Amino acid sequence: MEIKSNESIEQKAFNLSTLKLIAIFAMVIDHMAFAFVPYDTPLSIMMHFVGRITGPIMFYAAVEGYHHTRNIKKYIFRLFIFAILSYFPFMLFKAHGVISEMRFYDFNVIYTIMLGVIAIYVRRNINNFILKILLLSLIVCMSLTSDWGYLGIFIIMTFDFYYGNFKSQAFAYTLIVIFAAGLISLINPLYSIIYSGEWDFNMDYYFYNIETAGMFLPIYLLKFYNGERGSSSAWNKWLFYIFYPAHLLIIGGIQYLINLN
């Protein structure tokens, strides 16, 4: 009887449904920290650290969705509808429940995912190089005020560019985290000592980078993705789309009620 190695068993630990549930759990932790935990406290830092799991996993899921959907136009339209449904809840949440401080240009992560999926379509289907660059540049500009912004677009396009090769996806993603997400700035104090003879240490900035380091967690989880979708039930299909605006509206509503007192 053939005995499978521990590694082969571990590599099949998570299907896409399980990864999405992990992402949702991390998202709630992150958003609860944003809404109710004082910033720069140890608890806040750790909660945001865990929260960095959500975005990259959902971006990876979006790439999987692009390659497995039967109708890309319906997929993009679905993202568009839920981006609209999440528009007010996200603005309320970002404004800490203060309606007068809501900003119309605060767009949610489903909007970012929609733009990322469109970017994949453009890269793969537009043959005119100049037109392709112009459209991709426009997409990046449209993402600048959204949750995860251009970084989300870059991550989605990177996962797609190396689709089918996880090692290349992981390596490219790691480079994005190190350089685009700002972790390379952790060497700033050493740089300052060498070139200016001064110790430049900003604790607030280091707190932010500790949180950002949580972006390495998703790639470890994705290592164990088995390539399977998981449950095909309607509940599983719509869970994130429904839960995302609903929990934002609840948190934003609680913040609004707190502000009334």
Side-chain angles (χ1 to χ4, degrees):
M1 180 176 66
E2 181 182 356
I3 299 176
K4 295 183 179 180
S5 67
N6 290 335
E7 182 180 1
S8 63
I9 294 174
E10 288 177 352
Q11 286 176 345
K12 296 184 178 181
F14 299 137
N15 56 41
L16 199 59
S17 296
T18 303
L19 288 170
K20 286 182 179 179
L21 287 174
I22 294 173
I24 288 173
F25 179 73
M27 176 178 66
V28 172
I29 292 175
D30 184 53
H31 290 172
M32 292 293 286
F34 178 83
F36 306 116
V37 181
Y39 187 66
D40 285 352
T41 61
L43 178 59
S44 170
I45 293 169
M46 291 309 301
M47 291 176 74
H48 288 307
F49 178 84
V50 172
R52 294 300 182 269
I53 290 174
T54 304
I57 286 182
M58 297 313 300
F59 299 151
Y60 192 92
V63 174
E64 288 290 307
Y66 177 91
H67 287 278
H68 290 93
T69 185
R70 296 176 182 177
N71 189 321
I72 186 60
K73 292 182 180 179
K74 286 185 177 180
Y75 182 39
I76 293 174
F77 182 72
R78 181 165 69 244
L79 290 169
F80 173 72
I81 292 299
F82 280 95
I84 292 176
L85 292 176
S86 303
Y87 181 59
F88 176 82
F90 183 73
M91 286 194 300
L92 182 66
F93 165 76
K94 285 281 288 185
H96 291 279
V98 182
I99 294 179
S100 62
E101 295 185 7
M102 290 170 54
R103 300 178 300 188
F104 73 92
Y105 53 82
D106 275 335
F107 298 108
N108 54 77
V109 75
I110 297 182
Y111 169 82
T112 305
I113 292 173
M114 180 193 70
L115 291 180
V117 171
I118 294 173
I120 294 175
Y121 182 85
V122 169
R123 188 186 73 81
R124 288 182 171 271
N125 293 278
I126 302 298
N127 295 321
N128 185 299
F129 179 76
I130 295 178
L131 178 59
K132 180 184 297 187
I133 295 300
L134 288 175
L135 289 175
L136 291 177
S137 298
L138 176 61
I139 290 171
V140 170
C141 291
M142 291 174 65
S143 73
L144 293 179
T145 62
S146 67
D147 194 14
W148 283 86
Y150 69 89
L151 190 58
I153 305 299
F154 289 165
I155 292 173
I156 290 173
M157 294 190 67
T158 296
F159 283 150
D160 174 69
F161 188 83
Y162 294 107
Y163 183 75
N165 186 335
F166 179 73
K167 289 185 177 180
S168 294
Q169 286 178 320
F171 179 75
Y173 172 81
T174 300
L175 292 180
I176 290 176
V177 174
I178 291 174
F179 291 98
L183 288 184
I184 194 67
S185 64
L186 290 174
I187 66 172
N188 277 351
L190 179 61
Y191 178 90
S192 298
I193 289 176
I194 293 174
Y195 289 95
S196 65
E198 298 178 355
W199 175 256
D200 182 12
F201 184 85
N202 187 326
M203 183 59 72
D204 289 340
Y205 198 72
Y206 268 70
F207 284 151
Y208 172 77
N209 278 286
I210 291 172
E211 296 172 5
T212 304
M215 288 178 65
F216 289 118
L217 297 177
I219 210 65
Y220 178 76
L221 295 172
L222 290 170
K223 175 184 177 182
F224 303 113
Y225 171 50
N226 59 17
E228 298 177 1
R229 178 181 177 181
S231 172
S232 59
S233 66
W235 171 250
N236 179 65
K237 178 179 179 180
W238 298 102
L239 176 60
F240 180 79
Y241 294 121
I242 296 173
F243 184 86
Y244 180 74
H247 93 285
L248 288 176
L249 190 60
I250 292 171
I251 294 175
I254 293 173
Q255 291 175 301
Y256 173 77
L257 294 175
I258 291 174
N259 293 330
L260 291 179
N261 297 328

